[in-house]
Amino acid sequence: MHKKTMTFRCLLLAALLCPLASVAQQAPATADIRDLASSPRWLTTKVYIEGAPQTDVKANYPGVVGISTWDPERNRYEFFYTDTGKSKYDNGGGGYFFITGDHKTHVLVPDVGPTKTMVRRLETLNQCEFTYSREVPRDMVENNPLVRIHVVHAPYTGTVETLSALKPGTPATP
């Protein structure tokens, strides 16, 4: 019941935020959720603050950096550490996701962990790149002013094996 309440609240929040984001750069109408399935795993390649795309600040935002899997058929995601391939599932790094019908908002609903539903602006989604943005405290330090970070991903072709931590009975990601 709690998941349904959270999902409803998330949908309501996404509907309220969409008109406010209309002046921002948006993903093209041709973006397709199935493009997430074009690669079994995606790697964070760059993080930058809005207005400064030439400066990579990944080191300041380690919480958003990693390898991720997306299963659009079941709307499931899971995040992994880039060095070990260990799952971030127990800290909110796995659950359900959806992209709104206007292709402008990407919403995550974690299964477990301290993180609640997260609404992100979809910037780019195609077979070569997946980029979202969201507002966070600068350098992810509480009480710092908010900045909009852009998190860029590319299909992952490295050798790190990712080991899913999805609980038994939970649909697995690829």
Side-chain angles (χ1 to χ4, degrees), residues 127-144:
Q127 293 183 359
C128 300
E129 181 183 330
F130 164 46
T131 300
Y132 70 84
S133 69
R134 69 182 179 116
E135 285 190 340
V136 297
R138 181 177 289 280
D139 300 328
M140 298 297 268
V141 174
E142 194 175 332
N143 297 324
N144 273 0

Side-chain angles (χ1 to χ4, degrees), residues 105-149:
T105 307
H106 183 241
V107 181
L108 303 181
V109 183
D111 288 335
V112 296
T115 304
K116 303 298 179 213
T117 301
M118 188 178 318
V119 178
R120 312 182 311 177
R121 187 168 73 197
L122 183 59
E123 302 290 346
T124 304
L125 178 56
N126 58 48
Q127 293 183 359
C128 300
E129 181 183 330
F130 164 46
T131 300
Y132 70 84
S133 69
R134 69 182 179 116
E135 285 190 340
V136 297
R138 181 177 289 280
D139 300 328
M140 298 297 268
V141 174
E142 194 175 332
N143 297 324
N144 273 0
L146 293 178
V147 295
R148 178 165 292 279
I149 60 170

Side-chain angles (χ1 to χ4, degrees), residues 2-161:
H2 180 52
K3 278 286 184 207
K4 290 180 182 177
T5 301
M6 288 301 295
T7 301
F8 177 74
R9 287 181 182 167
C10 183
L11 285 170
L12 182 60
L13 180 61
L16 291 173
L17 291 177
C18 285
L20 297 175
S22 63
V23 296
Q25 175 186 359
Q26 297 297 325
T30 58
D32 190 336
I33 190 172
R34 290 171 294 196
D35 283 332
L36 285 171
S38 65
S39 173
R41 299 183 298 169
W42 292 81
L43 175 68
T44 308
T45 57
K46 184 177 187 178
V47 177
Y48 65 90
I49 295 174
E50 189 162 74
Q54 70 283 0
T55 305
D56 190 352
V57 293
K58 271 192 316 203
N60 298 357
Y61 299 90
V64 302
V65 174
I67 299 169
S68 58
T69 59
W70 300 93
D71 182 351
E73 297 299 318
R74 291 177 271 175
N75 289 13
R76 301 288 302 165
Y77 73 92
E78 190 169 2
F79 301 145
F80 304 88
Y81 293 98
T82 56
D83 55 347
T84 64
K86 182 180 176 196
S87 176
K88 296 181 179 185
Y89 182 84
D90 290 333
N91 284 331
Y96 293 91
F97 78 95
F98 63 92
I99 295 175
T100 56
D102 62 3
H103 304 278
K104 296 178 181 180
T105 307
H106 183 241
V107 181
L108 303 181
V109 183
D111 288 335
V112 296
T115 304
K116 303 298 179 213
T117 301
M118 188 178 318
V119 178
R120 312 182 311 177
R121 187 168 73 197
L122 183 59
E123 302 290 346
T124 304
L125 178 56
N126 58 48
Q127 293 183 359
C128 300
E129 181 183 330
F130 164 46
T131 300
Y132 70 84
S133 69
R134 69 182 179 116
E135 285 190 340
V136 297
R138 181 177 289 280
D139 300 328
M140 298 297 268
V141 174
E142 194 175 332
N143 297 324
N144 273 0
L146 293 178
V147 295
R148 178 165 292 279
I149 60 170
H150 292 248
V151 183
V152 182
H153 303 80
Y156 180 62
T157 58
T159 59
V160 173
E161 292 295 322

